[in-house]
Amino acid sequence: MPIFDNRSLTIFRLTTARGLLLLLTLASVSTVSAQGVGERATDATTRDGHFISWREHLIDDVATLDFVLSGGDGLVMADLDRDGYQDIVSVHESDSSYDSANFTPGFEAPPEGHVRIAFGSAGPQQWHNITVAEGLDAAAPEDAAIADINGDGFLDILIAAELSHILYLQNPGTGVRNTPWPRLKLPMTEGRGSYIRVFAADLDGDGTPEVIAPNKGAQIPGPEDFAVSNPVSVFKVNGDPLQGINWQEHELGHYSIPQNSEPVDLDGDGDLDIVIGSRGEERLAWFENPGDGSLDFIEHAIGINGARMAGFNLEYADLNGDGRLDIIGAGNGRVGNGLVWIEQPARTGDAWNAHYIGTFLPDSITGLEVTDIDGDGDMDVFAGSYSRGEREADDANTRISDPLGRLGWFEQPDEVTTAWTRHDVSRRKRGMFDKFIAHDLDGDGDADFIGTRGNSYPYDGVFWLEQLRSPTPGNRFERARQQDSEEMRIP
């Protein structure tokens, strides 16, 4: 007795054929998707139809050094030696083990953090790198700022160290590349907590910049730290900034794990306000500059309709063309989890409406920079993520669904309140991309990016991404090193 009748046999043949076709299709898809993000052909284009890809160049490479440099974080750029070329200040917190978290002087080796300067030149491939602070001076440095604090015409450096203090480094003026920089740890910050961000700006209009910094309380906050309020402060100097007695602290407010305090003219009245972010409370607020030469700032809540934001990295741009600055940052809530922008209301005190940009999930959104990437006249967002696994070697057990180190950008649509188009550039097993600066380094008229990298020793350091435009699509990403952390695909 036959197993199938004619009808059953026909169905079996059709099903088997479809199954074989499905298997062949899946095999084909698997072959393509097995490529890492950076190894795939780009689909990003400019307005005139040229394809956009990226080539990585190294600025400060650990392979050239005789000491361990890891944990690239903060990054700022200015002409420190007044030779007409932009220089780069970067901080490196030695993040493989967070060796400074439980450091006790006299009982163990000092922390291995470093503050580095890359002096620029006429060519974007030529940099002169020096260390300007290390050890206890640079105990887990997280951020940097640049300003002429002492008024001598040379730009000085401020450092936020997660192990307890704000460090002032005074530009020596002459011999800037080979002379020690005089320094002071602001005495009211020593041993008091953990400083994660630092900014410098003339808030009161007297010609001398103030220093603004949030004290997050602990380098690695535990549950008990979230229950403690720590200050966001303005530090003002009167007299020689190398003398601790000349510095005074003005506390703006107290928050659970404050992690931002950025000066920006949020209300468009010509003076600098301050935007703060709290990790513990997962909220933003802003302090309005009174404009009368005082530091009696007025606090306003930033109530967000549709999302919550902790504000570690924020960017500012008038995205909807209404004349008011909007805020871009990582957020979560009803509009979606990932990158969002919040629309500044016409009236102070009203809610800021949240709009979704996109996501890197399962990767995070960490470093941000806003600029016109594709040359169409509107603002796009370049972003990086923060890998969460091994930091000194690729783990064979790493899965594509793990949080990894990604580079990518979001293209602004014609209607800014709709979803943006994401263009992935690279996704590696290891990488923390905490900071970007948009700068046309090669002078070809498009936006390049300078960035720091951590979580991936021995591939940490400072790099720049050259934007390439071509009539045909090339690979999305051309890495600088022959050996690097493994490229991975998107889940």
Side-chain angles (χ1 to χ4, degrees):
M1 184 175 188
I3 298 175
F4 301 109
D5 59 22
N6 287 337
R7 180 175 177 274
S8 298
L9 186 59
T10 301
I11 293 172
F12 173 76
R13 285 171 177 164
L14 287 172
T15 305
T16 303
R18 288 171 180 160
L20 286 172
L21 179 61
L22 178 60
L23 287 173
L24 288 172
T25 303
L26 287 174
S28 174
V29 169
S30 178
T31 299
V32 173
S33 63
Q35 291 178 300
V37 167
E39 299 160 345
R40 301 186 66 181
T42 183
D43 57 1
T45 59
T46 63
R47 168 168 281 185
D48 61 5
H50 281 78
F51 288 90
I52 298 173
S53 57
W54 303 88
R55 177 184 294 146
E56 181 187 42
H57 304 270
L58 302 180
I59 293 173
D60 199 356
D61 180 14
V62 300
T64 65
L65 305 175
D66 60 0
F67 59 89
V68 173
L69 185 75
S70 68
D73 276 301
L75 184 75
V76 283
M77 196 171 187
D79 185 3
L80 297 172
D81 54 2
R82 301 202 307 189
D83 65 353
Y85 303 114
Q86 293 288 293
D87 310 310
I88 299 167
V89 177
S90 60
V91 296
H92 308 263
E93 65 171 325
S94 181
D95 67 3
S96 292
S97 60
Y98 286 104
D99 53 5
S100 61
N102 300 305
F103 172 71
T104 303
F107 291 93
E108 54 191 281
E112 295 179 353
H114 296 84
V115 179
R116 300 274 285 172
I117 301 176
F119 289 99
S121 67
Q125 309 295 355
Q126 301 296 320
W127 302 88
H128 179 82
N129 295 286
I130 68 169
T131 296
V132 70
E134 59 188 329
L136 289 178
D137 283 343
E142 181 76 21
D143 197 22
I146 294 175
D148 181 8
I149 300 295
N150 65 344
D152 65 353
F154 288 90
L155 293 170
D156 309 306
I157 300 172
L158 286 306
I159 300 297
E162 282 194 283
L163 186 60
S164 88
H165 62 261
I166 301 294
L167 176 68
Y168 166 66
L169 294 163
Q170 185 169 284
N171 192 324
T174 57
V176 64
R177 300 188 183 194
N178 49 35
T179 301
W181 287 47
R183 63 204 59 205
L184 173 77
K185 296 175 187 175
L186 271 59
M188 67 285 292
T189 67
E190 284 195 88
R192 187 177 165 195
S194 179
Y195 290 89
I196 191 169
R197 306 298 301 277
V198 64
F199 302 91
D202 183 7
L203 299 173
D204 56 10
D206 66 353
T208 300
E210 283 74 46
V211 177
I212 313 101
N215 180 352
K216 72 170 186 174
Q219 185 187 30
I220 307 174
E224 67 282 358
D225 297 302
F226 283 81
V228 177
S229 291
N230 287 291
V232 173
S233 299
V234 174
F235 301 93
K236 184 171 181 61
V237 63
N238 289 292
D240 181 0
L242 290 173
Q243 301 299 316
I245 196 172
N246 292 330
W247 289 90
Q248 293 83 41
E249 179 178 11
H250 300 260
E251 294 184 353
L252 293 175
H254 290 74
Y255 307 91
S256 171
I257 322 293
Q259 57 181 8
N260 209 335
S261 58
E262 191 159 6
V264 58
D265 184 7
L266 197 64
D267 55 7
D269 65 355
D271 53 33
L272 289 172
D273 312 301
I274 298 170
V275 176
I276 68 101
S278 164
R279 186 200 305 179
E281 299 161 40
E282 204 174 5
R283 72 180 181 96
L284 308 181
W286 70 284
F287 284 85
E288 181 183 357
N289 193 323
D292 58 5
S294 76
L295 295 176
D296 299 325
F297 281 51
I298 304 160
E299 183 177 6
H300 302 280
I302 296 179
I304 304 174
N305 174 31
R308 296 183 66 83
M309 301 173 72
F312 175 57
N313 280 321
L314 299 172
E315 291 295 324
Y316 308 86
D318 178 12
L319 292 179
N320 57 359
D322 64 0
R324 296 184 293 274
L325 281 183
D326 307 306
I327 299 177
I328 304 104
N332 61 79
R334 175 166 43 83
V335 299
N337 296 334
L339 192 63
V340 302
W341 70 276
I342 57 174
E343 180 182 351
Q344 183 173 170
R347 187 175 61 180
T348 299
D350 283 354
W352 295 55
N353 289 319
H355 304 280
Y356 189 59
I357 292 177
T359 185
F360 274 177
L361 288 175
D363 308 324
S364 61
I365 297 285
T366 310
L368 302 173
E369 179 68 311
V370 174
T371 192
D372 182 6
I373 294 174
D374 54 7
D376 64 356
D378 57 29
M379 295 290 102
D380 309 302
V381 182
F382 199 91
S385 71
Y386 189 137
S387 62
R388 302 284 177 178
E390 283 288 328
R391 298 183 174 190
E392 294 186 345
D394 281 9
D395 187 344
N397 296 318
T398 298
R399 300 165 300 176
I400 62 168
S401 58
D402 292 334
L404 306 180
R406 196 187 311 193
L407 298 170
W409 61 283
F410 296 87
E411 178 185 346
Q412 185 179 148
D414 292 335
E415 174 47 59
V416 71
T417 59
T418 60
W420 298 33
T421 301
R422 189 185 78 207
H423 300 285
D424 295 309
V425 173
S426 174
R427 186 174 191 245
R428 284 165 279 187
K429 283 187 175 181
R430 292 181 293 141
M432 176 183 70
F433 302 103
D434 216 351
K435 183 73 175 181
F436 299 99
I437 297 174
H439 189 77
D440 183 11
L441 267 180
D442 53 9
D444 63 356
D446 56 35
D448 307 310
F449 291 93
I450 301 159
T452 52
R453 181 177 175 185
N455 278 15
S456 52
Y457 184 81
Y459 310 126
D460 291 355
V462 183
F463 64 94
W464 70 280
L465 295 176
E466 176 188 2
Q467 184 178 162
L468 304 175
R469 297 184 176 184
S470 60
T472 56
N475 284 1
R476 300 181 186 190
F477 180 69
E478 181 183 328
R479 68 188 187 194
R481 300 175 178 88
Q482 285 214 302
Q483 245 351 85
D484 204 324
S485 185
E486 182 183 347
E487 277 278 350
M488 300 287 281
R489 62 186 176 93
I490 304 297

